Amino acid sequence: MAEALKADVVIVGGGTAGCSTALHLRQRGLSVVLLEARLCGSQASGVNYGGVRRQGRAYPELPLATRSRAVWDRLPSLVGHDGEFVVSGHLKLARSDAEMAELETWATGARERGVGVELFGRNAIRARYPWLGEQVIGASLVADDGHANPRLVAPLFARAARKAGATLREQTRVTAASRDAGGFIVGTDKGVTVRASTLVNVAGAWGHEIAAMFGDRLPEELMTPNMCVTEPLPFVVEHNLGVVGGNVYIRQIARGNVIFGGGSGWGDAGAGRARALPPITSGAIARAVEVVPGLRGARLLRSWSGLEGAMPDGIPVIGASPSTPGLIHAFGFSGHGFQLGPGMGEILGELVLEGRSATPLQPFAPERFAAAGIAAR
Ligand SMILES: Cc1cc2nc3c(=O)[nH]c(=O)nc-3n(C[C@H](O)[C@H](O)[C@H](O)COP(=O)(O)OP(=O)(O)OC[C@H]3O[C@@H](n4cnc5c(N)ncnc54)[C@H](O)[C@@H]3O)c2cc1C
């Protein structure tokens, strides 16, 4: 049935970024319609590993991550629940001297940018973490990192945004979008049309498709991290764990299940589907057992993957469209946008209302690829 909606802002995509933006804009008094092709939080935001870390980020991303980290602490007052966010610390492990040197280099730059980092050498690691495998020779701890339950966070923001007066339409896919003198006109597969003066494109792995509707050709690619979860086990993995190079990452939740990932699964963005691949899962199990030998013999309950947009330089696109006034892009979070999601509401809210953000966004400018001669495929 045809239906025409009007709002100050139309948001395309109901992941954590979109739902937190909807809430923030409502809190600042704007009318909002959010369109989500499936269910809010059903894509990357709902199926990710759950890592909430600043450790290991590219330096230009640290101001964003630091800002978002503060929002994570406020989840109970903001959305009525903590999203099972646990401040466990993130421990990144070195398995060679070269890897330890990499951790030391990152720590120097991160400390200059206000991130507290503690380094451990071989003896300290053995004494402090006897449950780690022999091949671990050093580590770096960011104590205020942690992890959360991705199944909860985007739906919590969606619920809070609805309560604050945003109109959220799920199972409603944007099929066309254009701009005329009156603003944006967005068409959907459900006959709903939205008119708005601002369009925020937070469509995740499909962000480049929405951008292309306005002639912005951005080189977003697909990534599909391979994940699995064990049966509940005695509690041993006290931190969210990563390794230099990123080929395995491990966290244990309060119920005892150990969630870990590493390598890439299979995905088809057109079909909206992803799944884990058994040989990749086997490789991740072997690496996880090397890092935490106590995991040997644990039974897996489930494996999965998800669809994530990645940019060639590994950091997202966040900023105004080069071609279309009032169009704002924020996608291509390249495997680390769950931590950034709660903060994206504030940042995109500033872009919508003030045309600039208090957090430096220049490194994320959509124009950077054209300027560097990198074309969309
Ligand atoms: C398996 C996996 C593990 C990860 N692990 C971590 C981690 O540990 N820590 C971390 O920080 N990050 C992690 N990430 C990355 C993180 O999940 C993403 O960067 C983040 O969730 C992106 O949020 P988003 O809201 O931008 O996108 P999404 O959650 O993908 O939301 C975009 C939404 O847009 C909708 N959409 C697309 N096209 C249309 C359309 N035409 N019309 C309407 N709606 C549309 C989609 O249905 C989708 O729901 C991981 C990702 C995956 C896949």
Side-chain angles (χ1 to χ4, degrees):
M1 203 181 64
E3 187 184 6
L5 300 174
K6 257 186 119 170
D8 295 319
V9 183
V10 59
I11 298 173
V12 183
T16 314
C19 295
S20 69
T21 302
L23 174 62
H24 189 80
L25 290 172
R26 276 307 300 143
Q27 287 176 331
R28 295 191 65 181
L30 269 61
S31 56
V32 177
V33 172
L34 182 150
L35 301 167
E36 164 54 47
R38 292 169 175 252
L39 298 175
C40 288
S42 58
Q43 293 290 356
S45 293
V47 301
N48 65 66
Y49 163 71
V52 178
R53 59 162 179 86
R54 288 189 296 168
Q55 170 138 249
R57 284 185 188 263
Y59 296 140
E61 233 182 55
L62 282 177
L64 279 184
T66 297
R67 185 153 181 200
S68 195
R69 176 63 186 79
V71 183
W72 280 96
D73 280 336
R74 289 193 277 114
L75 287 190
S77 58
L78 198 58
V79 298
H81 192 281
D82 65 4
E84 294 180 8
F85 175 47
V86 180
V87 186
S88 60
H90 181 267
L91 189 71
K92 191 163 181 180
L93 309 173
R95 296 166 291 183
S96 68
D97 291 336
E99 290 186 354
M100 192 62 211
E102 216 175 289
L103 290 181
E104 286 163 0
T105 303
W106 186 83
T108 303
R111 284 173 179 146
E112 285 163 6
R113 291 162 176 83
V115 181
V117 189
E118 188 181 354
L119 293 169
F120 296 92
R122 194 186 294 263
N123 293 340
I125 276 282
R126 290 274 82 76
R128 171 77 177 76
Y129 302 108
W131 46 269
L132 282 172
E134 287 293 321
Q135 63 161 209
V136 176
I137 62 136
S140 149
L141 176 69
V142 175
D144 64 0
D145 282 346
H147 54 98
N149 186 342
R151 289 275 168 203
L152 299 179
V153 179
L156 284 168
F157 274 101
R159 185 179 70 176
R162 258 198 190 107
K163 213 167 146 195
T167 299
L168 273 62
R169 289 298 171 88
E170 297 182 304
Q171 313 279 21
T172 305
R173 179 180 302 278
V174 171
T175 51
S178 58
R179 191 180 194 283
D180 64 15
F184 291 92
I185 312 158
V186 178
T188 68
D189 62 352
K190 292 285 162 31
V192 178
T193 308
V194 186
R195 270 213 164 258
S197 45
T198 302
L199 190 157
V200 179
N201 168 18
V202 273
W206 303 265
H208 67 285
E209 295 179 2
I210 304 297
M213 292 177 185
F214 297 92
D216 292 344
R217 291 185 42 76
L218 290 160
E220 187 181 31
E221 286 161 12
L222 186 65
M223 66 183 280
T224 51
N226 200 90
M227 310 291 315
C228 49
V229 58
T230 71
E231 62 187 338
L233 300 169
F235 197 80
V236 61
V237 185
E238 62 192 276
H239 300 302
N240 177 5
L241 296 182
V243 298
V244 176
N247 67 9
V248 65
Y249 33 97
I250 306 169
R251 70 184 180 102
Q252 187 167 20
I253 61 172
R255 286 177 291 279
N257 310 76
V258 174
I259 297 163
F260 63 98
S264 297
W266 170 89
D268 178 343
R273 296 205 164 279
R275 62 178 152 77
L277 295 173
I280 303 299
T281 304
S282 300
I285 292 169
R287 291 189 296 276
V289 167
E290 277 172 8
V291 169
V292 183
L295 294 179
R296 187 176 299 283
R299 266 181 296 233
L300 288 192
L301 296 182
R302 187 166 74 86
S303 61
W304 73 96
S305 184
L307 302 166
E308 164 74 333
M311 304 314 295
D313 54 4
I315 56 174
V317 162
I318 305 171
S321 155
S323 69
T324 309
L327 172 61
I328 295 168
H329 300 302
F331 60 82
F333 285 97
S334 306
H336 30 83
F338 179 58
Q339 193 274 1
L340 300 176
M344 287 315 297
E346 290 184 3
I347 286 160
L348 294 173
E350 288 170 352
L351 285 185
V352 169
L353 280 148
E354 287 124 41
R356 57 185 300 281
S357 172
T359 301
L361 298 180
Q362 203 279 329
F364 312 108
E367 296 86 348
R368 69 189 191 271
F369 301 107
I374 300 168
R377 273 191 273 162

